[in-house]
Amino acid sequence: MRTPEAPTVAAAYANAVISNGTAPEGDGTDAADEAARDRDARAYGGRAWASSAERLPFAEVRRVWERVIGPAERPHIGLRIGDALQPSALHVLGHLVLTCTSLAEAAAQAVRYLPVVSEAGALRLERGARSSQFVYRPSVPEGAMHPQQVEAVVAASVTAARWIAGGGWAPAAVSFVHDRIGDPGPYERILRCPVAFGAERNTVTVTNRELDLVRGPGDPELAALHRAHADRLLSALAAPVTVRRRVRGWLDQAPLDRVGPEDVQEALHLSERTLRRLLREEGTCWSDLLDAARHDRARRLLATTDRTLERIAHELGLSGAPAFVRAFTRWEGTTPGAYRRRLTAP
């Protein structure tokens, strides 16, 4: 069993979304919603990620958001998450923004280092004669990102600007590609500017005077340290993806009750002989990766659902609850029942 490491990019992001995704008082949130939120936060906070640079894969990001938004699609959750953003949720990027002396400098850092935090979209700054636009464009397939995720990114950009310009700062305008979700009041209250919907792009418009205004002396030495760390993380993300990681990523989404090496061979366009050889060269094998995927899936299902041990065992491709208990005890040093009780304890 691995000991949980320090918070990572992935854990910080997941906990920021989960913790700030609870509905405000009086909008129908009940104790079950709160308990589910707490289970999710504990599960992500305790996960032993591979490294401090690890991002949350987009498929996992989408599952976190689906959990937070809920089947009724409560509006404005994305706005509230962006409004409540803390620097730590953005890992080194958040701390780097805090060292910036102008909104233009912060925008440049966000454009360069957003990939450290997310693989789902890209930012750019477009300069105009009198005003400029901070543009966010999702890079995932159309429809894969929920509009409230986009609202969270845009609202977070405004919030990050307020870390530098002060809490009373507001952009000149904001636009969203999607249609408005719910009442206009929260948009006006959080963004504090004209908001357009059905636009061609997701943008935050800022006057050039506001953008270039120097707002403090800054700390160039601290900024240099943060940039060096962020550059190392970017380099690590650009490194070639191993076959081991490709298989693990595929298994994270696969139906584990009916998966076999022949399925991943087809998905990765590798013959069985080549797949086994490459995994062996990387110090692992199919059975080890399948076992690790079952371990991760088991922790997630125990933390975020009330499914029975028998049903979870079936979803993992195990023979039944006794086999699941034996496997989970081997993985975690405790039974699945005890693990679930620990997550739900007050």
Side-chain angles (χ1 to χ4, degrees):
M1 179 180 69
R2 293 182 59 188
T3 302
E5 300 169 354
T8 65
V9 177
Y13 175 87
N15 276 309
V17 173
I18 294 164
S19 299
N20 295 318
T22 51
E25 184 176 357
D27 78 341
T29 299
D30 56 23
D33 292 330
E34 296 288 348
R37 186 281 311 267
D38 290 340
R39 285 199 303 271
D40 288 350
R42 295 187 191 193
Y44 284 104
R47 178 170 175 179
W49 299 89
S51 76
S52 63
E54 186 173 350
R55 293 177 307 198
L56 205 61
F58 179 74
E60 190 78 8
V61 170
R62 178 71 188 203
R63 281 196 291 269
V64 172
W65 274 94
E66 287 173 348
R67 183 80 177 186
V68 168
I69 293 171
E73 289 205 21
R74 295 190 302 266
H76 310 129
I77 288 177
L79 282 176
R80 291 205 314 275
I81 288 171
D83 185 44
L85 188 77
Q86 297 295 315
S88 59
L90 298 180
H91 200 255
V92 67
L93 174 57
H95 299 295
L96 185 54
V97 167
L98 292 177
T99 68
C100 295
T101 59
S102 70
L103 297 182
E105 184 184 355
Q109 305 307 322
V111 168
R112 175 171 174 78
Y113 295 113
L114 181 65
V116 170
V117 181
S118 171
E119 62 181 342
L123 292 166
R124 71 174 182 271
L125 180 65
E126 296 184 356
R127 283 270 187 173
R130 296 186 178 181
S131 64
S132 300
Q133 289 189 325
F134 198 48
V135 184
Y136 177 70
R137 185 181 299 277
S139 55
V140 294
E142 185 176 356
M145 179 177 283
H146 195 284
Q148 294 214 48
Q149 293 176 251
V150 176
E151 292 188 359
V153 173
V154 171
S157 301
V158 174
T159 297
R162 289 172 180 155
W163 298 340
I164 301 169
W169 182 85
V174 163
S175 69
F176 294 105
V177 172
H178 58 266
D179 293 333
R180 193 183 73 210
I181 305 171
D183 297 331
Y187 294 96
E188 298 168 359
R189 184 173 65 255
I190 290 173
L191 300 174
R192 306 176 206 161
C193 67
V195 182
F197 298 89
E200 292 185 359
R201 303 184 301 177
N202 305 299
T203 64
V204 177
T205 302
V206 184
T207 65
N208 289 344
R209 180 183 177 280
E210 287 284 311
L211 192 66
D212 295 325
L213 180 65
V214 176
R215 301 172 188 270
D219 188 335
E221 292 184 0
L222 182 59
L225 288 174
H226 286 317
R227 281 197 301 272
H229 181 46
D231 284 332
R232 287 193 295 271
L233 296 182
L234 276 182
S235 296
L237 290 171
V241 178
T242 63
V243 173
R244 173 178 183 164
R245 185 163 183 174
R246 291 172 66 194
V247 173
R248 277 303 311 272
W250 186 86
L251 283 170
D252 281 345
Q253 314 302 320
L256 299 181
D257 60 330
R258 54 182 186 276
V259 69
E262 64 280 1
D263 300 307
V264 73
Q265 291 160 25
E266 181 178 354
L268 301 185
H269 306 290
L270 295 172
S271 68
E272 178 178 358
R273 181 177 180 180
T274 300
L275 176 65
R276 294 187 183 278
R277 176 178 59 79
L278 292 174
L279 291 177
R280 185 169 62 251
E281 290 174 357
E282 293 176 8
T284 189
C285 63
W286 164 258
S287 60
D288 286 347
L289 296 180
L290 178 59
D291 189 64
R294 284 170 169 164
H295 182 190
D296 281 353
R297 186 80 57 88
R299 286 193 297 188
R300 187 164 67 240
L301 291 174
L302 288 170
T304 62
T305 75
D306 58 359
R307 295 171 190 168
T308 65
L309 301 188
E310 188 68 31
R311 181 176 174 185
I312 292 177
H314 175 73
E315 293 187 32
L316 298 179
L318 299 174
S319 60
F324 175 41
V325 171
R326 288 193 299 272
F328 197 84
T329 302
R330 170 171 57 84
W331 293 325
E332 291 286 335
T334 188
T335 65
Y339 180 86
R340 179 177 266 169
R341 286 192 297 272
R342 187 170 73 241
L343 289 177
T344 57

